[in-house]
Amino acid sequence: MYRFVDAAVVRAAACRPGSVPLWPDLTDDTEEHLASWVDWLRQVWASDRFAAGVEVASPDLARRVHEVCEGRRVRRREVRRAVLSLARYLLRTESRATPFGLFSGVAPARFGSAPAVRFGEEHRAVARVDSAWLDGVVTRLEAIPELSRRLLVVRNNLAFVRDGRLVVGCHQQSGAVRGAEPVEVSVRYTEAVHTVFQAVQTPVRLGDLADKLASDFPERPDSVINGMLAGLVAQRLLVTSVRPPMIGPRLDGSGAGGNLTPHYDTDNGRWDGDTEYDRAVGPNQHLPSGWPAYGADGNGDGSADPHNVYDSALASARELCLSAGGAGVDFTDRGQLADALFRYNRSHAYVADVLAAVDRFDTRTPLNPGAGGGSEAGQAAAAWALRQVGKPYVWGGTGPHGFDCSGLTQAAWAAAGVSIPRVTTDQVRIGIPVGLDELQPGDLLFYDTGSGPSPSHVTMYVGDGQMVNAPSTGQTIRVEPVQSDYYSPRFTAARRPA
C-alpha cells in the first residue's frame, strides 16, 4: 500500500520555542506594570514575521498594538487586553502547528537514526485564493459589457432541453451561503436561444455571438440581444473563458497535493494544459494517463471529455468496474460497491465517507413548491421565482433579465395572475399575516436590513424551509434557508398575498 521513499512532509510551527521575551506580569495594573506591558508589546512587535502573522489573523488586534506601541492608546484596560491577545498568538506560533495564517507551515522531513530539528530563516508565504471570493470577482467581471464582449463563451455541457426549456440541473449560485445546495435554473428554449447553443459548441467571442444574433434576428433591438446573452452568462448556461477549469496541482513529486511521485505528461497537455507533468482534471479529478482506458461519452455528444461532468461521472463508474476484472460491479449491491471503492482507495474511512454521501443523496427530497401545500397561485408564483435563480440583482429591476428584491416578488405573483404593489413597504401591507411556522410557497418574508425604511428587503418562501432571494448589487438571485445568521435576526413579518 505504501512505498518508503526516505522523505516526508510535516506541518510545523513557524517560531522556534523560547524565542520570545519573558511573559509580562499581569497580576497588577499599576502604572509601573502598564509601562512594562507597553515595553513587552514593543519587543514582541519588533519581530516583522510575527507582526505579519497577526496582521493576517486579526487586523483589529494589529491596529490596537500599533496604537499602543506609538503611544496613542495607553488606557490600562485596553493595553492589558492587547497583551493577553498577543500572548495567545505567541503560544500558537510557538507550539501549535495548526493550519492558521502565517503561524505554521509545511516543512520537509527525512528519516534518520536520531531526532533533530532545525529552524531556518527562509520561510516563504504562499497565498491561496478563496474559491468564493474568486467566484465573486469573476461574476463581477462577466457583468462588465465592455469586457464581456471580448470573452470567449461555450455552452454549459450540463444543459439539456426539457418541456420547451433549457435547463441546468445543478447550478451553484454565486454568493450563496456556505453549504447551500445547487439549484435548477432554466430559460425558455426559444429560437434565439437555440441559435446561441448551436453556435457555441466550440468557443466563440460573446461580441461575435451578439453580431450573429443581430443578423439572424434583425427585428430584435441590440438591448434585447445583449440582455439575453447577459442572462445566459449569469445563469451559467454559457460559460466564459474567465471561469477557471477544474485542474489539480502539478504532479511533479514536489509534495503539492500530497504527491511525492512524479507523474510525467501523458496527453501532451491536451486535458490539463501541461506538457511536462500530468494534473488531475475535471469534476472527478481523473488523471490523463488513465483516460484512454476508462474515459467515456456520458451525455452522447460524441466526445469523451474529462471536464464534462457526465463523462467524468461515467468514467468513474467504468474505472470501478474495470477494477473488478471481467466480473464487473453491481452498484446496487452495497457490498460490491464497497469492495470497488476499497480497490480504488484502500482506506476503510474513505469507503465509509463515500457510502454515507450516497445515503445522503438518496434520501434528499427535491425542492418542489407543490409539495409544501398552499394555494395554486402561491405554488405558481414560487415555481416562477425558482426559474429566475442565477439572474443578476439589478437595483430597480423588474425583469426579464434582472430584478431587485421586490421586483422579483411582484413579477412572480404577476406570473401567477395576482397583482401586488411594486415596492417592499407597500407589499408588506397586503394579504394576510402568517407566522414562520405557517409558511406556504409564495408567502413573502420581510426584513429590516438597514438600507432604507423598514422593511427594506423581501424574499419569497418556496417550500422545504427555503426562500428565493434577490440579495443585493453584485450578486445573483439564489435559493437559501429561511433560517440564517444574517436574515433571522432581521425578520419583521410574513404575508400571504393570495
Side-chain angles (χ1 to χ4, degrees):
M1 180 176 177
Y2 298 103
R3 183 164 62 91
F4 174 71
V5 294
D6 192 30
V9 176
V10 298
R11 181 170 292 281
C15 185
R16 181 169 55 251
S19 61
V20 300
L22 293 176
W23 301 110
D25 183 359
L26 297 174
T27 58
D28 197 356
D29 62 353
T30 62
E31 289 295 332
E32 179 183 352
H33 283 93
L34 174 60
S36 68
W37 296 345
V38 173
D39 183 60
W40 184 84
L41 285 173
R42 287 171 175 161
Q43 291 182 61
V44 171
W45 209 242
S47 169
D48 293 338
R49 182 182 301 157
F50 178 69
V54 175
E55 287 171 350
V56 170
S58 178
D60 287 340
L61 174 60
R63 184 175 62 254
R64 291 202 304 270
V65 174
H66 271 302
E67 291 173 350
V68 171
C69 292
E70 294 174 1
R72 290 187 287 136
R73 184 186 291 263
V74 293
R75 292 175 55 187
R76 283 194 294 271
R77 182 179 178 184
E78 294 180 351
V79 175
R80 189 177 191 276
R81 186 181 302 166
V83 169
L84 281 172
S85 298
L86 211 60
R88 294 189 183 100
Y89 278 117
L90 275 173
L91 288 172
R92 177 189 291 273
T93 195
E94 272 198 325
S95 58
R96 294 181 61 189
T98 53
F100 186 77
L102 302 177
F103 295 128
S104 67
V106 175
R110 63 184 179 85
F111 299 99
S113 58
V117 178
R118 182 180 67 85
F119 281 83
E121 297 298 327
E122 298 181 3
H123 302 320
R124 181 168 57 93
V126 178
R128 186 168 60 183
V129 175
D130 178 83
S131 59
W133 175 87
L134 179 61
D135 178 71
V137 170
V138 170
T139 298
R140 291 193 293 274
L141 289 173
E142 290 175 336
I144 301 173
E146 296 81 6
L147 172 63
S148 64
R149 285 186 59 85
R150 293 172 168 80
L151 297 179
L152 292 173
V153 295
V154 69
R155 63 185 295 173
N156 187 331
N157 56 39
L158 289 175
F160 59 92
V161 178
R162 183 186 67 202
D163 298 331
R165 300 189 68 84
L166 185 65
V167 180
V168 170
C170 52
H171 171 74
Q172 188 64 58
Q173 307 160 89
S174 178
V177 295
R178 187 176 296 277
E181 295 286 347
V183 298
E184 178 178 292
V185 297
S186 68
V187 297
R188 288 177 55 225
Y189 194 54
T190 62
E191 184 180 356
V193 173
H194 173 76
T195 299
V196 168
F197 260 62
Q198 290 299 308
V200 294
Q201 297 189 45
T202 57
V204 176
R205 291 195 185 279
L206 195 65
D208 294 340
L209 189 58
D211 293 341
K212 174 178 173 54
L213 289 174
S215 175
D216 291 353
F217 301 91
E219 73 283 1
R220 303 284 178 86
D222 289 346
S223 59
V224 172
I225 290 173
N226 292 330
M228 181 192 73
L229 292 176
L232 293 175
V233 169
Q235 296 185 78
R236 311 280 178 84
L237 290 160
L238 293 180
V239 181
T240 73
S241 52
V242 293
R243 292 278 165 190
M246 295 182 182
I247 297 178
R250 173 184 262 198
L251 302 178
D252 57 4
S254 65
N259 168 259
L260 296 172
T261 303
H263 289 252
Y264 295 101
D265 175 64
T266 60
D267 67 337
N268 199 31
R270 178 185 180 188
W271 301 121
D272 56 12
D274 193 326
T275 57
E276 293 187 58
Y277 296 92
D278 270 350
R279 301 168 183 249
V281 297
N284 288 20
Q285 292 289 276
H286 290 291
L287 283 176
S289 58
W291 193 249
Y294 50 76
D297 178 9
N299 62 342
D301 64 357
S303 173
D305 182 348
H307 294 284
N308 180 306
V309 68
Y310 297 107
D311 298 358
S312 185
L314 181 57
S316 292
R318 281 174 50 82
E319 184 178 8
L320 292 177
C321 288
L322 290 172
S323 71
V329 176
D330 180 357
F331 292 119
T332 65
D333 184 307
R334 197 173 182 86
Q336 289 191 39
L337 176 58
D339 291 342
L341 291 169
F342 188 75
R343 287 192 294 270
Y344 172 75
N345 185 341
R346 294 184 174 275
S347 164
H348 291 293
Y350 169 81
V351 174
D353 286 345
V354 173
L355 293 179
V358 170
D359 292 339
R360 289 194 300 271
F361 182 84
D362 287 343
T363 56
R364 281 184 56 199
T365 301
L367 188 60
N368 177 11
S375 67
E376 183 177 344
Q379 293 173 13
W384 189 92
L386 283 169
R387 292 197 293 271
Q388 312 314 307
V389 168
K391 291 185 178 180
Y393 176 96
V394 176
W395 187 84
T398 56
H401 304 299
F403 300 86
D404 64 12
C405 63
S406 56
L408 174 66
T409 53
Q410 182 194 42
W413 272 102
V418 178
S419 176
I420 66 173
R422 169 66 183 90
V423 298
T424 304
T425 49
D426 289 336
Q427 289 181 7
V428 75
R429 302 175 187 276
I430 65 166
I432 62 172
V434 294
L436 287 175
D437 58 347
E438 303 172 311
L439 292 176
Q440 296 177 0
D443 289 350
L444 304 183
L445 304 169
F446 296 90
Y447 301 90
D448 182 4
T449 59
S451 58
S454 181
S456 53
H457 189 65
V458 60
T459 67
M460 177 177 286
Y461 185 71
V462 293
D464 298 331
Q466 305 287 309
M467 63 185 183
V468 168
N469 182 18
S472 59
T473 301
Q475 301 191 60
T476 58
I477 298 171
R478 65 198 191 205
V479 177
E480 60 185 290
V482 171
Q483 299 295 333
S484 71
D485 291 341
Y486 179 79
Y487 284 106
S488 292
R490 294 168 172 80
F491 174 77
T492 60
R495 309 286 293 193
R496 183 167 301 150

